[in-house]
């Protein structure tokens, strides 16, 4: 694809029926769009067709501000489609939420600083001062909103004003140790990414690594998912595991767990930035 960011990406799903693939590709080719990527999948159980397609806009006949309306009128209504349209030159804006643990934050910011991710991180939000030094090191504004039972609603309201005024697309919870309220989840549906310290579903409650150690587990894992109103039960984006043995101490488990958490979270965020994820019925379809 080179450095040409003048592209459009369409993610869609609808009831499966013959001819949809041909219709969508035809829409692009007759309007002089050059298709760069196409991936599709049919869920045979629910009979749903999923697709992601990307094309170059250099010679495309439909002005970009009218593509959405055209597609809605010509195809979405006809096939009962739900779709999202993204443009390659729009940099998604990510807000990072942290508490006191730094491993995920360091990983995200080092990838961001190295230019691995095509996004913007306008600021970091925390409920503690602890990681301000990390934010300063990377030159990113750091906002602290201390949270107590009494002020939680009011503080979240301030956070949401900050998110809105900066046009944030996605929230990344990089080991943010607070429950996100239903109101914020409603504002950012499938746009809040969390990292969980285990291979969900797994040991619940505090000190999961101590529980894992006591049970003599042979693998530990990490899970990244979108946040929904059901705690730790949102659509799973990315998971991974690492082997351990009886020789590993609790500290070893924690260290291996942190390594996994940061890599699993970063993989999930990258997929989100690249618009490779489609959520359907609390499940994710992840395009290659």
């Amino acid at each position: 694809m080179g450095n040409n960011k003048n592209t459009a990406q369409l993610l869609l799903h609808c009831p499966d029926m013959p001819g949809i693939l041909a219709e969508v590709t035809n829409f692009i080719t007759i309007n002089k769009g050059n298709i760069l990527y196409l991936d599709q999948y049919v869920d045979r159980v629910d009979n749903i067709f999923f697709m992601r397609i990307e094309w170059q806009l250099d010679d495309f006949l439909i002005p970009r501000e009218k593509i959405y309306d055209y597609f809605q009128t010509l195809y979405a209504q006809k096939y009962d489609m739900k779709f999202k349209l993204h443009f390659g030159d729009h940099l998604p804006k990510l807000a990072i939420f942290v508490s006191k643990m730094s491993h995920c934050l360091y990983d995200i910011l080092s990838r961001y600083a190295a230019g691995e991710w095509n996004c913007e991180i306008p600021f970091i939000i925390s409920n503690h001062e602890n990681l301000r030094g990390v934010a300063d090191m990377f030159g990113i504004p750091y906002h602290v909103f201390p949270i107590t039972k009494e002020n939680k609603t009011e503080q979240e309201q301030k956070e949401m004003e900050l998110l809105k005024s900066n046009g944030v697309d996605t929230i990344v919870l990089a080991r943010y140790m607070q429950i996100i309220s239903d109101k914020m989840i409603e504002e950012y549906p499938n746009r809040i990414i969390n990292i969980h310290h285990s291979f969900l579903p797994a040991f619940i409650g505090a000190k999961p690594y101590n529980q894992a150690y006591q049970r003599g587990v042979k693998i530990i894992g990490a899970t990244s998912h979108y946040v929904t109103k059901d705690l730790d039960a949102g659509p799973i984006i990315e998971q991974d595991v690492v082997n351990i043995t009886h020789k590993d101490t609790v500290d070893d488990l924690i260290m291996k767990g942190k390594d996994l958490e940061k890599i699993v979270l970063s993989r999930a965020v990258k997929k989100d930035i690249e618009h490779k994820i489609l959520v359907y019925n609390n499940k994710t379809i992840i395009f290659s």
Side-chain angles (χ1 to χ4, degrees):
M1 197 169 90
N3 291 323
N4 189 345
K5 298 279 191 291
N6 193 21
T7 60
Q9 299 150 354
L10 189 62
L11 281 84
L12 62 90
H13 67 85
C14 61
D16 186 39
M17 62 182 83
I20 297 171
L21 185 67
E23 284 264 35
V24 176
T25 51
N26 195 39
F27 162 70
I28 292 165
T29 50
I30 58 170
N31 288 299
K32 298 197 177 348
N34 177 29
I35 295 172
L36 302 167
Y37 169 102
L38 192 157
D39 194 3
Q40 52 97 33
Y41 162 72
V42 178
D43 179 333
R44 301 280 174 209
V45 178
D46 290 341
N47 202 41
I48 303 290
F49 174 84
F50 299 92
M51 181 178 183
R52 181 183 184 276
I53 190 162
E54 183 172 359
W55 71 99
Q56 231 158 335
L57 292 171
D58 293 357
D59 303 311
F60 202 57
L61 299 178
I62 303 167
R64 65 156 69 197
E65 65 277 7
K66 296 207 171 135
I67 297 173
Y68 187 96
D69 294 340
Y70 263 72
F71 196 80
Q72 174 69 33
T73 310
L74 294 171
Y75 304 98
Q77 289 167 358
K78 182 176 172 185
Y79 291 108
D80 192 19
M81 268 177 199
K82 303 271 186 294
F83 73 96
K84 282 186 176 166
L85 177 69
H86 303 282
F87 293 105
D89 56 7
H90 169 76
L91 286 180
K93 287 187 177 176
L94 270 55
I96 315 297
F97 280 48
V98 293
S99 288
K100 292 180 180 177
M101 282 184 264
S102 63
H103 57 290
C104 288
L105 181 63
Y106 269 116
D107 193 67
I108 286 168
L109 296 184
S110 58
R111 289 172 191 277
Y112 176 61
E116 282 184 33
W117 291 355
N118 215 16
C119 68
E120 273 180 53
I121 300 178
F123 55 82
I124 294 160
I125 282 180
S126 184
N127 54 332
H128 297 283
E129 277 290 342
N130 300 51
L131 301 180
R132 185 180 290 278
V134 183
D136 290 348
M137 196 188 295
F138 288 91
I140 294 175
Y142 186 83
H143 301 277
V144 177
F145 296 90
I147 289 180
T148 61
K149 275 199 185 91
E150 295 72 42
N151 74 1
K152 189 178 169 85
T153 307
E154 179 194 334
Q155 292 288 65
E156 267 206 357
Q157 191 51 48
K158 288 180 188 165
E159 289 171 351
M160 274 168 34
E161 283 161 18
L162 185 63
L163 293 164
K164 279 211 178 71
S165 64
N166 281 271
V168 166
D169 298 291
T170 301
I171 295 167
V172 180
L173 307 180
R175 293 312 307 266
Y176 180 64
M177 307 309 280
Q178 286 285 330
I179 305 282
I180 300 294
S181 75
D182 287 358
K183 189 162 188 267
M184 195 182 275
I185 293 167
E186 279 163 21
E187 287 284 328
Y188 292 87
N190 297 321
R191 286 161 60 204
I192 305 175
I193 300 173
N194 189 30
I195 182 66
H196 198 276
H197 52 59
S198 41
F199 197 67
L200 291 175
F203 297 112
I204 56 168
K207 302 201 169 174
Y209 293 117
N210 292 66
Q211 293 182 61
Y213 176 75
Q214 283 153 15
R215 290 285 302 277
V217 300
K218 299 298 178 253
I219 57 170
I220 56 170
T223 300
S224 187
H225 62 94
Y226 287 120
V227 175
T228 59
K229 291 178 185 180
D230 295 324
L231 187 64
D232 294 329
I236 291 170
I237 307 168
E238 181 73 45
Q239 293 185 296
D240 208 347
V241 291
V242 63
N243 290 315
I244 53 171
T245 74
H246 58 278
K247 293 176 184 168
D248 285 310
T249 63
V250 171
D251 284 348
D252 293 335
L253 265 60
I254 290 169
M255 196 171 73
K256 287 183 176 183
K258 281 181 172 179
D259 275 351
L260 263 188
E261 284 167 22
K262 63 191 185 188
I263 206 158
V264 167
L265 178 60
S266 284
R267 280 185 203 151
V269 172
K270 189 170 194 290
K271 286 183 174 127
D272 185 85
I273 291 168
E274 293 173 352
H275 308 302
K276 297 275 179 82
I277 309 166
L278 204 157
V279 176
Y280 177 76
N281 280 358
N282 210 47
K283 258 171 65 177
T284 55
I285 307 298
I286 302 208
F287 296 104
S288 59

